[in-house]
Amino acid sequence: MPGTPTDLARFARIGIRREHDLLLHLPLRYEDLTRVVPIGSIRGGSQVQVEGDVVRSEVVARGRRTLQVDLSDGTGTIGLRFFHFYGTQLKQLTVGARIRASGEARGGLFGMEIVHPQYRVVGESTPLPTRLTPVYPTAAGIGQGMLRAAIGKALRTVALDDTVPPDCPGVRGLPGLRQALALLHAPAPDVDRVALEERSHPAWLRVIFEELLAQQLSLRRARAARADREAAPLRDRALVDRLLKALPFALTGAQRRAWDEVAHDLCARQPMNRLLQGDVGSGKTVIAALAAAQAIGSGTQAALMAPTELLAEQHLRKLAPWMQALGVRVDWLSGSLKESGKRTIRAAAAAGEIDLLIGTHALIEDSVEFARLGLVIVDEQHRFGVAQRLALRGKGQLSPHQLMMSATPIPRTLAMTYYADLDVSVIDELPPGRTPVVTRLVSQGRRAELIERVRAAAQAGRQIYWVCPLIEESEALDLQTAIDTFEVLSQELAPLRVGLLHGRMPAAEKQHVMDGFVRGEIQLLVATTVIEVGVDVPNASLMVIEHAERFGLAQLHQLRGRVGRGAAESACVLLYRAPLSPTARERLTVMHETTDGFEIARRDLMLRGPGEFLGARQSGVPLLRFADLERDAALVEAARACAARMLRDMPDQADRHMERWFGGREEFLRA
Ligand code: ADP
Ligand code: MG
């Protein structure tokens, strides 16, 4: 494994904890750097690699400081443009240096150029790579180079015998695992690129089969284990009745049905394992409150875990008054508390002096022991790794009941496959009195007009979210975009009061900004997708999503759910950059046409297929990273048969297979 503890921590954030994990960290796509094209032959819009001498290098300070470099190879000249650059880069890119650069060539005002190319200094005869260059999913602080080096080394050194019996029909005709991985990490340039992209290449099929097999093995093991667990029956409804009477509204029909199901489960000696699905704003929180009331009224403790500090605090603010009015002792635990504060909370939970503990991952990470934990509620469950949910569930003698809530409508059949025998309740009705959000598609070309509309809205007393684009490959870029956008909008919209919210801010600062927005002191809030889940500011009635074409449907829907929470007419502007890809166009059309989360989920499924639907972004730790249940249906069948046989005839090998894929976290699939 790579170097320092910091490196290790960073790698862990993208799911790489062991050398095996490196091997299974597969490329998102490839770049072909095996060829250099003559600069004179380049047309715009294509991915190219060029090599030439720097003939001009200049820092231009008009508006924003940029570094402009011209590269010439005798057939023509191309510009390289850098908006962010370091001193070392200035030194590398001096006149006379020989540079190999790659990126997307675009026709600019002064001829062809590449903005922020990848580049390196080369000599007369620096060899070109002979393989395609992989581009990996990554996170802040882990460069592609670092990943490539670590993975390359793992490929050379890690032993990787096959765990799948070779006569298993699922792997007939496919390469062995080692061979398949070697190909996927470094394909030859003449590989079938389409098959790679569609994951129909035999190397992909091998990996996908192995993953599905690991899943099937785990599901079978888990099913056997689950039958043995026992929970405390929670049957006292007195507190629930008092809460229902105290609520400022009556439950909707859908909420009542969902609550009946939850209440019924809580009475059983088998632990509840229920997923509560409801569109954003459908009112899941009150069901959580009722469940907590039943648990606490029956003499146990409840814990509520949310994926972000922001969301956990909103729950605290919403639930605490309701619960405290019933005499329930509510407390709060998050990573940002001081150690002494955490210690006090842990002691109180262990002594049974807290009835309802609300918090973030800290609930798990700080190994809170509850005196008698009866119920665990997990909000926005798809944002958690399953391992995290399990950790909370695992405390105490009896298993606590578990209620998971999600606004990401996972089609029922999929939920069943992913979460084994999870029960599902659905809230398919919004509380009365909401005005639907109007969605408009606006191209970047009309940005100036939009800015004026935003100004007018703010002057009319409305509050606005401005969501910054998502940059798939790098959190650091995400952040930079948010900061840039904040600066630009602050100037353009002066003297409006503009705030900035992003995931890397310290919790206290985040809260400060959120409070300012809630109180109306901030009129326009520039934010990254941290606001995606659960943020509830009813006065915010306009949302602009920049580069909406880069977001997935589920995410757009989540984001849009942040407006339309009050009685005011709300709007969501999807700002996009033309030309749109056909899929992006379809996605934006869906958003324009409907606000129904289930319809959106259905269309999303059609557009993307279920594998990606529950992909990394949404599920925290993805259960299936590579397989796609629909596309790979035939492999699922083969994996099922193979799993049964392995558990019967070769249990040790089955263990090794699961260990390889889930790193001893085979429990993943039990939740
Ligand atoms: P979500 O399902 O997105 O978590 P919330 O639980 O935050 O939704 O509910 C959204 C808003 O609707 C909250 O302000 C909540 O108090 C309110 N609400 C919930 N149920 C009802 C209801 N039956 N009638 C009126 N308002 C409700
Ligand atoms: Mg919620």
Side-chain angles (χ1 to χ4, degrees):
M1 287 295 294
T4 66
T6 325
D7 290 345
L8 288 177
R10 285 179 179 149
F11 271 72
R13 284 191 23 224
I14 52 173
I16 299 176
R17 291 178 187 80
R18 312 161 306 160
E19 274 168 326
H20 280 141
D21 299 333
L22 279 167
L23 297 179
L24 296 176
H25 194 72
L26 292 174
L28 284 172
R29 57 188 174 83
Y30 303 92
E31 280 168 5
D32 188 351
L33 303 180
T34 63
R35 291 172 306 139
V36 161
V37 299
I39 292 173
S41 72
I42 295 172
R43 283 171 301 133
S46 54
Q47 199 68 30
V48 296
Q49 176 167 251
V50 295
E51 186 171 320
D53 298 319
V54 174
V55 294
R56 179 177 82 113
S57 178
E58 199 177 332
V59 175
V60 181
R62 258 188 318 275
R64 182 169 172 176
R65 255 165 60 90
T66 53
L67 170 60
Q68 301 270 18
V69 173
D70 284 350
L71 204 64
S72 171
D73 69 351
T75 70
T77 301
I78 189 164
L80 308 180
R81 191 137 63 112
F82 299 84
F83 293 111
H84 314 281
F85 51 93
Y86 306 101
T88 47
Q89 290 179 301
L90 277 177
K91 285 202 198 100
Q92 286 173 331
L93 295 163
T94 48
V95 171
R98 189 166 184 82
I99 299 293
R100 194 177 282 164
S102 62
E104 191 188 327
R106 290 204 297 227
L109 215 47
F110 306 103
M112 281 297 156
E113 66 169 7
I114 307 178
V115 176
H116 279 251
Q118 303 277 334
Y119 74 91
R120 59 186 286 209
V121 180
V122 292
E124 263 317 316
S125 55
T126 307
L128 286 161
T130 56
R131 304 272 164 170
L132 298 183
T133 304
V135 179
Y136 294 104
T138 187
I142 314 175
Q144 291 290 334
M146 185 175 173
L147 262 175
R148 282 175 199 145
I151 291 169
K153 175 154 176 271
L155 273 173
R156 288 189 301 277
T157 55
V158 178
L160 205 65
D161 56 322
D162 279 333
T163 41
V164 183
D167 60 340
C168 161
V171 295
R172 203 168 290 152
L174 300 180
L177 181 62
R178 159 171 284 286
Q179 210 185 334
L181 292 174
L183 186 145
L184 294 175
H185 285 294
D190 63 351
V191 72
D192 182 346
R193 292 284 288 270
V194 175
L196 271 195
E197 225 150 85
E198 291 176 347
R199 301 192 171 178
S200 59
H201 191 285
W204 266 121
L205 296 182
R206 174 73 195 208
V207 168
I208 288 168
F209 178 81
E210 295 238 348
E211 180 179 47
L212 287 168
L213 176 63
Q215 188 200 37
Q216 290 299 324
L217 286 169
S218 303
L219 286 176
R220 279 170 181 271
R221 278 271 166 85
R223 211 161 288 158
R226 195 178 293 117
D228 302 336
R229 286 174 23 213
E230 203 182 316
L234 308 173
R235 292 175 179 157
D236 191 323
R237 305 254 178 125
L239 212 51
V240 171
D241 291 337
R242 283 173 56 203
L243 176 55
L244 280 171
K245 281 208 194 77
L247 284 177
F249 48 73
L251 297 186
T252 62
Q255 280 172 319
R256 216 169 323 115
R257 277 192 301 279
W259 167 239
D260 282 347
E261 291 171 342
V262 171
H264 180 261
D265 282 3
L266 288 174
C267 294
R269 284 191 178 281
Q270 285 268 312
M272 169 170 76
N273 193 27
R274 186 169 285 277
L275 173 66
L276 176 61
Q277 291 200 327
D279 210 346
V280 288
S282 62
K284 295 181 290 297
T285 315
V286 65
I287 307 295
L290 289 166
Q294 185 154 324
I296 294 161
S298 306
T300 64
Q301 294 164 291
L304 191 164
M305 190 163 76
T308 66
E309 193 127 327
L310 205 61
L311 197 50
E313 288 196 22
Q314 291 218 354
H315 278 307
L316 180 70
R317 237 175 294 151
K318 180 150 266 176
L319 293 183
W322 287 347
M323 302 306 277
Q324 279 161 349
L326 304 176
V328 168
R329 294 162 301 180
V330 183
D331 225 311
W332 158 257
L333 183 70
S334 86
S336 63
L337 282 186
K338 286 213 185 64
E339 190 48 44
S340 61
K342 288 186 192 168
R343 216 171 313 133
T344 312
I345 300 288
R346 280 198 295 265
E353 289 156 6
I354 295 174
D355 300 314
L356 173 60
L357 185 57
I358 299 178
T360 57
H361 303 110
L363 285 187
I364 308 165
E365 281 151 13
D366 294 338
S367 55
V368 187
E369 296 287 344
F370 291 86
R372 31 171 211 289
L373 183 62
L375 170 69
V376 170
I377 304 164
V378 185
D379 195 15
E380 303 299 346
Q381 63 82 30
H382 62 284
R383 302 280 297 233
F384 284 96
V386 181
Q388 296 172 325
R389 287 185 256 147
L390 278 164
L392 197 50
R393 198 176 64 188
K395 296 188 198 323
Q397 294 291 326
L398 295 167
S399 296
H401 295 278
Q402 185 161 258
L403 177 64
M404 289 160 282
M405 306 195 286
S406 175
T408 302
I410 304 166
R412 193 186 173 84
T413 47
L414 253 190
M416 299 305 237
T417 320
Y418 272 86
Y419 304 112
D421 59 3
L422 189 68
D423 297 306
V424 182
S425 297
V426 177
I427 305 183
D428 54 5
E429 176 186 355
L430 291 181
R434 302 274 170 87
T435 31
V437 180
V438 176
T439 301
R440 296 202 176 81
L441 310 185
V442 174
S443 90
Q444 277 286 352
R446 290 168 53 205
R447 192 169 180 284
E449 224 174 289
L450 175 63
I451 292 288
E452 288 319 307
R453 281 216 6 223
V454 167
R455 187 195 307 281
Q459 279 161 354
R462 297 167 68 183
Q463 284 178 281
I464 302 122
Y465 293 105
W466 190 292
V467 183
C468 295
L470 184 75
I471 294 166
E472 193 70 39
E473 279 157 34
S474 154
E475 267 180 50
L477 280 180
D478 249 4
L479 186 61
Q480 189 55 46
T481 329
I483 294 168
D484 290 351
T485 310
F486 168 70
E487 281 167 5
V488 170
L489 288 175
S490 301
Q491 281 177 14
E492 285 181 328
L493 283 165
L496 287 199
R497 298 181 302 273
V498 182
L500 172 65
L501 187 73
H502 59 73
R504 309 286 288 282
M505 276 159 67
E509 205 178 315
K510 240 186 283 185
Q511 197 50 51
H512 181 72
V513 172
M514 253 346 262
D515 287 345
F517 194 55
V518 170
R519 283 197 299 266
E521 285 156 14
I522 292 174
Q523 294 168 286
L524 174 89
L525 183 65
V526 176
T528 57
T529 50
V530 291
I531 60 155
E532 179 185 348
V533 286
V535 172
D536 190 14
V537 181
N539 191 46
S541 60
L542 175 58
M543 169 174 283
V544 178
I545 304 180
E546 200 164 349
H547 274 301
E549 76 278 5
R550 292 191 193 164
F551 291 87
L553 262 181
Q555 205 167 20
L556 286 173
H557 179 63
Q558 288 282 320
L559 286 167
R560 183 171 59 184
R562 301 306 114 217
V563 289
R565 306 202 136 225
E569 174 98 4
S570 293
C572 176
V573 175
L574 303 178
L575 193 57
Y576 66 89
R577 187 184 290 277
L580 288 173
S581 74
T583 324
R585 176 181 309 274
E586 176 67 20
R587 278 204 299 266
L588 297 186
T589 309
V590 171
M591 289 302 293
H592 179 65
E593 282 171 0
T594 180
T595 53
D596 176 341
F598 282 82
E599 174 62 13
I600 288 173
R602 199 182 64 76
R603 305 274 288 267
D604 200 20
L605 201 58
M606 276 165 39
L607 279 172
R608 302 204 290 164
E612 261 206 60
F613 182 80
L614 291 174
R617 279 250 171 209
Q618 283 178 37
S619 55
V621 179
L623 297 188
L624 286 176
R625 287 185 284 168
F626 308 122
D628 174 327
L629 292 174
E630 210 158 88
R631 182 194 63 201
D632 304 318
L635 290 179
V636 177
E637 277 312 308
R640 195 170 285 167
C642 186
R645 176 182 151 204
M646 282 178 77
L647 286 176
R648 192 182 60 230
D649 299 341
M650 47 189 97
D652 292 348
Q653 207 157 316
D655 282 342
R656 275 205 307 127
H657 187 84
M658 283 186 275
E659 160 69 24
R660 175 175 293 170
W661 277 90
F662 300 129
R665 290 166 291 152
E666 163 237 342
E667 288 192 285
F668 267 25
L669 295 166
R670 274 187 214 166

